[in-house]
Amino acid sequence: MAVSRELQQFKAEFFKALAHPLRIRILEVLSEGDRNVNEIQALLGLEGSAVSQQLAVLRAKNVVSGTKDGTSVIYSLRDPQIRELLEVARRIFDNHLVDAISLLETIRNE
């Protein structure tokens, strides 16, 4: 029982870490390869501390890791299966979108 509760707590904390659009975008960028903060900001078209703040959350929840490289930190996914999780979430979203479009077409044709 205790292991089950611990697993449920881990899952809840893990999904809380993912529960922000910018954190998802950061993970999508990192799923394509390791990057430093400046590279992530440039790829996302953002400036300022927003990316650093969200990276700190992801790091605290052990979703990403950072490795010092001179004066910068290179961020990477702690587990490559996060990439697969993002792909599955995308497929689920696509399925919901297809269902919504189908429903709208049915309504329109009635």
Side-chain angles (χ1 to χ4, degrees):
M1 286 279 193
V3 173
S4 179
R5 259 190 230 128
E6 289 175 12
L7 180 57
Q8 290 169 347
Q9 186 63 36
F10 170 81
K11 288 178 183 179
E13 293 299 319
F14 178 78
F15 283 111
K16 279 185 206 174
L18 302 182
H20 190 283
L22 182 51
R23 291 196 289 263
I24 297 293
R25 290 173 64 199
I26 291 169
L27 293 175
E28 289 172 341
V29 165
L30 292 177
S31 72
E32 296 170 4
D34 301 350
R35 305 266 190 248
N36 66 35
V37 174
N38 293 332
E39 292 171 323
I40 296 168
Q41 287 175 334
L43 288 167
L44 297 178
L46 297 171
E47 295 179 15
S49 62
V51 170
S52 294
Q53 290 171 348
Q54 299 308 326
L55 280 167
V57 171
L58 291 168
R59 219 171 156 177
K61 299 292 185 180
N62 291 315
V63 178
V64 301
S65 59
T67 306
K68 200 86 159 118
D69 182 30
T71 59
S72 63
V73 177
I74 305 298
Y75 290 93
S76 59
L77 300 177
R78 281 188 68 93
D79 190 322
Q81 290 185 5
I82 292 171
R83 181 180 306 111
E84 294 173 37
L85 178 65
L86 294 171
E87 290 172 12
V88 169
R90 176 61 172 233
R91 287 195 301 269
I92 291 169
F93 173 79
D94 289 348
N95 290 341
H96 284 280
L97 191 57
V98 167
D99 290 345
I101 290 170
S102 177
L103 177 62
L104 287 173
E105 287 174 350
T106 300
I107 293 169
R108 186 181 320 144
N109 291 333
E110 288 181 351

PDB file of all heavy atoms in Angstrom, residues 2-3 13 16 20 27 48 57 59-61 64 66 68 79 81 83 86 95-96 98 100-101 104:
ATOM      1  N   ALA A   2       1.891   1.305   0.827  1.00  0.00           N
ATOM      2  CA  ALA A   2       2.726   2.500   0.930  1.00  0.00           C
ATOM      3  C   ALA A   2       3.410   2.809  -0.399  1.00  0.00           C
ATOM      4  O   ALA A   2       3.504   3.962  -0.793  1.00  0.00           O
ATOM      5  CB  ALA A   2       3.755   2.341   2.038  1.00  0.00           C
ATOM      6  N   VAL A   3       3.864   1.765  -1.082  1.00  0.00           N
ATOM      7  CA  VAL A   3       4.510   1.963  -2.379  1.00  0.00           C
ATOM      8  C   VAL A   3       3.520   2.550  -3.373  1.00  0.00           C
ATOM      9  O   VAL A   3       3.846   3.465  -4.124  1.00  0.00           O
ATOM     10  CB  VAL A   3       5.109   0.637  -2.922  1.00  0.00           C
ATOM     11  CG1 VAL A   3       5.627   0.808  -4.324  1.00  0.00           C
ATOM     12  CG2 VAL A   3       6.210   0.154  -1.999  1.00  0.00           C
ATOM     13  N   GLU A  13       3.127  14.804  -8.515  1.00  0.00           N
ATOM     14  CA  GLU A  13       4.178  15.829  -8.537  1.00  0.00           C
ATOM     15  C   GLU A  13       4.779  15.957  -9.937  1.00  0.00           C
ATOM     16  O   GLU A  13       5.069  17.064 -10.391  1.00  0.00           O
ATOM     17  CB  GLU A  13       5.272  15.507  -7.515  1.00  0.00           C
ATOM     18  CG  GLU A  13       4.813  15.607  -6.078  1.00  0.00           C
ATOM     19  CD  GLU A  13       4.334  16.993  -5.702  1.00  0.00           C
ATOM     20  OE1 GLU A  13       4.966  17.995  -6.116  1.00  0.00           O
ATOM     21  OE2 GLU A  13       3.308  17.098  -4.999  1.00  0.00           O
ATOM     22  N   LYS A  16       2.319  17.809 -12.072  1.00  0.00           N
ATOM     23  CA  LYS A  16       2.304  19.223 -11.673  1.00  0.00           C
ATOM     24  C   LYS A  16       3.457  19.958 -12.339  1.00  0.00           C
ATOM     25  O   LYS A  16       3.309  21.110 -12.758  1.00  0.00           O
ATOM     26  CB  LYS A  16       2.430  19.369 -10.154  1.00  0.00           C
ATOM     27  CG  LYS A  16       1.149  19.162  -9.393  1.00  0.00           C
ATOM     28  CD  LYS A  16       1.413  19.458  -7.921  1.00  0.00           C
ATOM     29  CE  LYS A  16       0.465  18.719  -7.033  1.00  0.00           C
ATOM     30  NZ  LYS A  16       0.783  18.885  -5.610  1.00  0.00           N
ATOM     31  N   HIS A  20       2.286  23.474 -17.068  1.00  0.00           N
ATOM     32  CA  HIS A  20       2.473  24.871 -17.439  1.00  0.00           C
ATOM     33  C   HIS A  20       2.866  24.905 -18.915  1.00  0.00           C
ATOM     34  O   HIS A  20       3.777  24.187 -19.325  1.00  0.00           O
ATOM     35  CB  HIS A  20       3.561  25.500 -16.567  1.00  0.00           C
ATOM     36  CG  HIS A  20       3.663  26.971 -16.703  1.00  0.00           C
ATOM     37  ND1 HIS A  20       4.261  27.581 -17.789  1.00  0.00           N
ATOM     38  CD2 HIS A  20       3.238  27.967 -15.896  1.00  0.00           C
ATOM     39  CE1 HIS A  20       4.201  28.885 -17.639  1.00  0.00           C
ATOM     40  NE2 HIS A  20       3.582  29.145 -16.497  1.00  0.00           N
ATOM     41  N   LEU A  27      10.279  21.573 -22.634  1.00  0.00           N
ATOM     42  CA  LEU A  27      10.527  20.131 -22.770  1.00  0.00           C
ATOM     43  C   LEU A  27      10.523  19.703 -24.230  1.00  0.00           C
ATOM     44  O   LEU A  27      11.315  18.847 -24.630  1.00  0.00           O
ATOM     45  CB  LEU A  27       9.505  19.339 -21.964  1.00  0.00           C
ATOM     46  CG  LEU A  27       9.611  19.492 -20.444  1.00  0.00           C
ATOM     47  CD1 LEU A  27       8.470  18.762 -19.759  1.00  0.00           C
ATOM     48  CD2 LEU A  27      10.959  19.002 -19.943  1.00  0.00           C
ATOM     49  N   GLY A  48      14.298  37.540 -21.051  1.00  0.00           N
ATOM     50  CA  GLY A  48      14.075  37.702 -19.624  1.00  0.00           C
ATOM     51  C   GLY A  48      14.226  36.411 -18.847  1.00  0.00           C
ATOM     52  O   GLY A  48      14.797  35.436 -19.320  1.00  0.00           O
ATOM     53  N   VAL A  57      11.941  25.146 -11.939  1.00  0.00           N
ATOM     54  CA  VAL A  57      10.855  24.261 -11.499  1.00  0.00           C
ATOM     55  C   VAL A  57      11.093  22.852 -12.034  1.00  0.00           C
ATOM     56  O   VAL A  57      11.007  21.867 -11.287  1.00  0.00           O
ATOM     57  CB  VAL A  57       9.479  24.787 -11.972  1.00  0.00           C
ATOM     58  CG1 VAL A  57       8.382  23.768 -11.698  1.00  0.00           C
ATOM     59  CG2 VAL A  57       9.157  26.117 -11.304  1.00  0.00           C
ATOM     60  N   ARG A  59      13.817  21.484 -12.932  1.00  0.00           N
ATOM     61  CA  ARG A  59      15.002  20.909 -12.294  1.00  0.00           C
ATOM     62  C   ARG A  59      14.679  20.438 -10.875  1.00  0.00           C
ATOM     63  O   ARG A  59      15.097  19.352 -10.461  1.00  0.00           O
ATOM     64  CB  ARG A  59      16.092  21.969 -12.250  1.00  0.00           C
ATOM     65  CG  ARG A  59      17.443  21.431 -12.522  1.00  0.00           C
ATOM     66  CD  ARG A  59      18.429  22.548 -12.667  1.00  0.00           C
ATOM     67  NE  ARG A  59      19.724  21.993 -12.353  1.00  0.00           N
ATOM     68  CZ  ARG A  59      20.843  22.643 -12.425  1.00  0.00           C
ATOM     69  NH1 ARG A  59      20.860  23.895 -12.796  1.00  0.00           N
ATOM     70  NH2 ARG A  59      21.969  22.054 -12.127  1.00  0.00           N
ATOM     71  N   ALA A  60      13.926  21.247 -10.152  1.00  0.00           N
ATOM     72  CA  ALA A  60      13.556  20.893  -8.771  1.00  0.00           C
ATOM     73  C   ALA A  60      12.710  19.625  -8.732  1.00  0.00           C
ATOM     74  O   ALA A  60      12.775  18.861  -7.772  1.00  0.00           O
ATOM     75  CB  ALA A  60      12.804  22.054  -8.119  1.00  0.00           C
ATOM     76  N   LYS A  61      11.926  19.398  -9.772  1.00  0.00           N
ATOM     77  CA  LYS A  61      11.074  18.204  -9.855  1.00  0.00           C
ATOM     78  C   LYS A  61      11.777  17.049 -10.559  1.00  0.00           C
ATOM     79  O   LYS A  61      11.166  16.039 -10.892  1.00  0.00           O
ATOM     80  CB  LYS A  61       9.767  18.532 -10.580  1.00  0.00           C
ATOM     81  CG  LYS A  61       8.928  19.597  -9.895  1.00  0.00           C
ATOM     82  CD  LYS A  61       8.367  19.100  -8.580  1.00  0.00           C
ATOM     83  CE  LYS A  61       7.443  20.132  -7.980  1.00  0.00           C
ATOM     84  NZ  LYS A  61       6.889  19.693  -6.725  1.00  0.00           N
ATOM     85  N   VAL A  64      14.297  17.786 -15.639  1.00  0.00           N
ATOM     86  CA  VAL A  64      15.472  18.107 -16.447  1.00  0.00           C
ATOM     87  C   VAL A  64      16.694  18.137 -15.546  1.00  0.00           C
ATOM     88  O   VAL A  64      16.578  18.268 -14.325  1.00  0.00           O
ATOM     89  CB  VAL A  64      15.338  19.465 -17.198  1.00  0.00           C
ATOM     90  CG1 VAL A  64      14.141  19.469 -18.116  1.00  0.00           C
ATOM     91  CG2 VAL A  64      15.305  20.633 -16.245  1.00  0.00           C
ATOM     92  N   GLY A  66      20.834  19.786 -15.327  1.00  0.00           N
ATOM     93  CA  GLY A  66      21.734  20.801 -15.858  1.00  0.00           C
ATOM     94  C   GLY A  66      23.172  20.413 -15.601  1.00  0.00           C
ATOM     95  O   GLY A  66      23.504  19.942 -14.512  1.00  0.00           O
ATOM     96  N   LYS A  68      27.090  21.948 -15.914  1.00  0.00           N
ATOM     97  CA  LYS A  68      27.890  23.154 -16.084  1.00  0.00           C
ATOM     98  C   LYS A  68      28.824  22.982 -17.276  1.00  0.00           C
ATOM     99  O   LYS A  68      29.472  21.949 -17.435  1.00  0.00           O
ATOM    100  CB  LYS A  68      28.701  23.383 -14.805  1.00  0.00           C
ATOM    101  CG  LYS A  68      29.192  24.775 -14.641  1.00  0.00           C
ATOM    102  CD  LYS A  68      28.129  25.612 -13.969  1.00  0.00           C
ATOM    103  CE  LYS A  68      28.759  26.825 -13.329  1.00  0.00           C
ATOM    104  NZ  LYS A  68      28.290  28.073 -13.860  1.00  0.00           N
ATOM    105  N   ASP A  79      15.086  11.954 -18.381  1.00  0.00           N
ATOM    106  CA  ASP A  79      14.660  10.644 -18.855  1.00  0.00           C
ATOM    107  C   ASP A  79      14.193  10.787 -20.301  1.00  0.00           C
ATOM    108  O   ASP A  79      13.284  11.560 -20.577  1.00  0.00           O
ATOM    109  CB  ASP A  79      13.519  10.126 -17.985  1.00  0.00           C
ATOM    110  CG  ASP A  79      13.179   8.673 -18.249  1.00  0.00           C
ATOM    111  OD1 ASP A  79      13.219   8.253 -19.434  1.00  0.00           O
ATOM    112  OD2 ASP A  79      12.865   7.957 -17.295  1.00  0.00           O
ATOM    113  N   GLN A  81      12.323   9.081 -21.963  1.00  0.00           N
ATOM    114  CA  GLN A  81      10.925   8.697 -22.156  1.00  0.00           C
ATOM    115  C   GLN A  81       9.978   9.889 -22.053  1.00  0.00           C
ATOM    116  O   GLN A  81       8.826   9.807 -22.468  1.00  0.00           O
ATOM    117  CB  GLN A  81      10.534   7.603 -21.167  1.00  0.00           C
ATOM    118  CG  GLN A  81      11.217   6.291 -21.496  1.00  0.00           C
ATOM    119  CD  GLN A  81      10.755   5.167 -20.604  1.00  0.00           C
ATOM    120  OE1 GLN A  81       9.853   5.309 -19.792  1.00  0.00           O
ATOM    121  NE2 GLN A  81      11.378   4.014 -20.765  1.00  0.00           N
ATOM    122  N   ARG A  83      10.219  12.421 -23.867  1.00  0.00           N
ATOM    123  CA  ARG A  83       9.951  12.691 -25.291  1.00  0.00           C
ATOM    124  C   ARG A  83       8.768  11.849 -25.758  1.00  0.00           C
ATOM    125  O   ARG A  83       7.857  12.352 -26.429  1.00  0.00           O
ATOM    126  CB  ARG A  83      11.195  12.365 -26.118  1.00  0.00           C
ATOM    127  CG  ARG A  83      11.058  12.615 -27.594  1.00  0.00           C
ATOM    128  CD  ARG A  83      12.336  12.267 -28.382  1.00  0.00           C
ATOM    129  NE  ARG A  83      13.521  12.936 -27.847  1.00  0.00           N
ATOM    130  CZ  ARG A  83      14.521  12.313 -27.218  1.00  0.00           C
ATOM    131  NH1 ARG A  83      14.495  11.005 -27.037  1.00  0.00           N
ATOM    132  NH2 ARG A  83      15.554  12.983 -26.768  1.00  0.00           N
ATOM    133  N   LEU A  86       5.480  13.193 -24.329  1.00  0.00           N
ATOM    134  CA  LEU A  86       5.004  14.358 -25.082  1.00  0.00           C
ATOM    135  C   LEU A  86       4.354  13.937 -26.396  1.00  0.00           C
ATOM    136  O   LEU A  86       3.344  14.512 -26.814  1.00  0.00           O
ATOM    137  CB  LEU A  86       6.156  15.332 -25.336  1.00  0.00           C
ATOM    138  CG  LEU A  86       6.747  16.009 -24.099  1.00  0.00           C
ATOM    139  CD1 LEU A  86       8.013  16.770 -24.467  1.00  0.00           C
ATOM    140  CD2 LEU A  86       5.733  16.915 -23.437  1.00  0.00           C
ATOM    141  N   ASN A  95      -6.506  13.099 -31.238  1.00  0.00           N
ATOM    142  CA  ASN A  95      -7.722  12.282 -31.193  1.00  0.00           C
ATOM    143  C   ASN A  95      -8.915  13.098 -30.707  1.00  0.00           C
ATOM    144  O   ASN A  95     -10.010  12.997 -31.264  1.00  0.00           O
ATOM    145  CB  ASN A  95      -7.532  11.062 -30.284  1.00  0.00           C
ATOM    146  CG  ASN A  95      -6.592  10.043 -30.880  1.00  0.00           C
ATOM    147  OD1 ASN A  95      -6.331  10.037 -32.083  1.00  0.00           O
ATOM    148  ND2 ASN A  95      -6.055   9.191 -30.036  1.00  0.00           N
ATOM    149  N   HIS A  96      -8.697  13.903 -29.683  1.00  0.00           N
ATOM    150  CA  HIS A  96      -9.779  14.753 -29.177  1.00  0.00           C
ATOM    151  C   HIS A  96     -10.190  15.784 -30.214  1.00  0.00           C
ATOM    152  O   HIS A  96     -11.374  16.068 -30.378  1.00  0.00           O
ATOM    153  CB  HIS A  96      -9.367  15.452 -27.875  1.00  0.00           C
ATOM    154  CG  HIS A  96      -9.400  14.548 -26.683  1.00  0.00           C
ATOM    155  ND1 HIS A  96     -10.557  14.238 -26.024  1.00  0.00           N
ATOM    156  CD2 HIS A  96      -8.408  13.876 -26.058  1.00  0.00           C
ATOM    157  CE1 HIS A  96     -10.281  13.408 -25.024  1.00  0.00           C
ATOM    158  NE2 HIS A  96      -8.988  13.176 -25.033  1.00  0.00           N
ATOM    159  N   VAL A  98      -9.938  15.453 -33.507  1.00  0.00           N
ATOM    160  CA  VAL A  98     -10.675  14.740 -34.551  1.00  0.00           C
ATOM    161  C   VAL A  98     -12.112  14.495 -34.101  1.00  0.00           C
ATOM    162  O   VAL A  98     -13.061  14.699 -34.864  1.00  0.00           O
ATOM    163  CB  VAL A  98      -9.967  13.406 -34.915  1.00  0.00           C
ATOM    164  CG1 VAL A  98     -10.865  12.515 -35.740  1.00  0.00           C
ATOM    165  CG2 VAL A  98      -8.670  13.691 -35.654  1.00  0.00           C
ATOM    166  N   ALA A 100     -13.838  16.250 -31.923  1.00  0.00           N
ATOM    167  CA  ALA A 100     -14.545  17.530 -31.879  1.00  0.00           C
ATOM    168  C   ALA A 100     -14.942  17.975 -33.285  1.00  0.00           C
ATOM    169  O   ALA A 100     -16.068  18.444 -33.508  1.00  0.00           O
ATOM    170  CB  ALA A 100     -13.679  18.594 -31.213  1.00  0.00           C
ATOM    171  N   ILE A 101     -14.055  17.802 -34.249  1.00  0.00           N
ATOM    172  CA  ILE A 101     -14.363  18.167 -35.639  1.00  0.00           C
ATOM    173  C   ILE A 101     -15.494  17.305 -36.172  1.00  0.00           C
ATOM    174  O   ILE A 101     -16.413  17.799 -36.830  1.00  0.00           O
ATOM    175  CB  ILE A 101     -13.091  18.052 -36.523  1.00  0.00           C
ATOM    176  CG1 ILE A 101     -12.115  19.167 -36.147  1.00  0.00           C
ATOM    177  CG2 ILE A 101     -13.450  18.117 -38.005  1.00  0.00           C
ATOM    178  CD1 ILE A 101     -10.735  19.003 -36.768  1.00  0.00           C
ATOM    179  N   LEU A 104     -18.743  18.507 -34.729  1.00  0.00           N
ATOM    180  CA  LEU A 104     -19.169  19.754 -35.373  1.00  0.00           C
ATOM    181  C   LEU A 104     -19.736  19.491 -36.764  1.00  0.00           C
ATOM    182  O   LEU A 104     -20.738  20.101 -37.151  1.00  0.00           O
ATOM    183  CB  LEU A 104     -17.988  20.735 -35.458  1.00  0.00           C
ATOM    184  CG  LEU A 104     -17.564  21.373 -34.152  1.00  0.00           C
ATOM    185  CD1 LEU A 104     -16.285  22.182 -34.346  1.00  0.00           C
ATOM    186  CD2 LEU A 104     -18.673  22.273 -33.604  1.00  0.00           C
TER     187      LEU A 104
END
